[in-house]
Amino acid sequence: MADTPPLVFETPRLILRASRRADAKTLYEEYTGRKEATRYLQRGPHPSQIRTEMAIDVWGEANWSKTSRFIWSILRRPEEKPVGLFLMFIEGSRAEIHYGLGPSYWGQGLASEAGIAAMNWVMGESTISEISTICAAEHTASLRVLEKIGLRRSRLLSGELLLASTGTTVDAWLCSWKRS
């Protein structure tokens, strides 16, 4: 695959490493199994660690060279503890990104740091021409992260984002970055 991203990105405070099954227990406890972490997501909390393992098995390190969907565990230094996930789904010259952290790690700039690492690869080494994601309009913290990593609000989608946690639809921003 022409645009297979690297297995690892490193930043001063983080390591983004292709997810491994061994990460699932901590990721489930810290992030994927936590209801409050899914407040603005289209998925609810994973019902068990097995669901987290399944996502990692399909999109993580074990299948890195066989897929166009990639999942990194966000590891906080120095202990290299998995505290969240960063995902990139590549289709041709476009990609969709998603990310999330456990609630204990919110408000520390870690999501921005992880996103900047991934976007540096996109802008400097890949042929990807467009990155996009959808973000709940009321999720101001995530909108700030997206702006910090280079995405811009491009279109308001009225009542089009179904939040699994509440079963309601909310307004959302389509956020994107385009290579100039």
Side-chain angles (χ1 to χ4, degrees):
M1 174 175 301
D3 275 317
T4 300
L7 290 165
V8 177
F9 296 116
E10 294 194 37
T11 74
R13 297 184 298 161
L14 303 172
I15 299 170
L16 279 73
R17 179 188 26 78
S19 291
R20 300 175 184 160
R21 186 176 262 246
D23 299 338
K25 180 180 187 308
T26 304
L27 284 168
Y28 176 74
E29 292 168 354
E30 294 288 338
Y31 170 56
T32 61
R34 304 281 300 271
K35 184 176 181 177
E36 63 271 37
T38 64
R39 179 176 176 192
Y40 293 109
L41 300 182
Q42 292 175 290
R43 71 158 180 87
H46 288 176
S48 70
Q49 178 182 320
I50 292 168
R51 177 64 188 92
T52 303
E53 290 171 357
M54 289 170 53
I56 289 171
D57 287 348
V58 173
W59 301 329
E61 184 178 55
N63 283 309
W64 206 258
S65 62
K66 302 173 195 167
T67 185
S68 61
R69 294 178 169 236
F70 306 94
I71 185 170
W72 291 268
S73 294
I74 301 171
L75 310 173
R76 194 176 80 171
R77 295 179 191 257
E79 66 275 12
E80 296 188 18
K81 177 183 180 180
V83 298
L85 295 170
F86 193 94
L87 297 91
M88 184 179 293
F89 304 148
I90 301 173
E91 290 187 31
S93 65
R94 297 179 175 169
E96 182 178 328
I97 60 169
H98 301 278
Y99 56 86
L101 294 169
S104 300
Y105 304 95
W106 292 349
Q108 300 173 33
L110 300 177
S112 296
E113 193 169 323
I116 288 168
M119 288 301 293
N120 284 343
W121 172 78
V122 167
M123 292 185 278
E125 300 178 44
S126 82
T127 60
I128 295 170
S129 62
E130 184 176 345
I131 297 284
S132 65
T133 196
I134 294 174
C135 182
E138 64 189 53
H139 194 359
T140 56
S142 193
L143 287 167
R144 280 193 307 272
V145 168
L146 293 168
E147 290 168 352
K148 286 178 185 176
I149 70 172
L151 278 71
R152 297 291 171 248
R153 298 176 202 194
S154 53
R155 186 169 41 130
L156 182 63
L157 308 170
S158 296
E160 290 191 33
L161 179 62
L162 175 62
L163 301 179
S165 63
T166 60
T168 59
T169 56
V170 298
D171 294 348
W173 281 101
L174 172 63
C175 298
S176 61
W177 166 88
K178 292 183 181 181
R179 191 178 299 278
S180 43

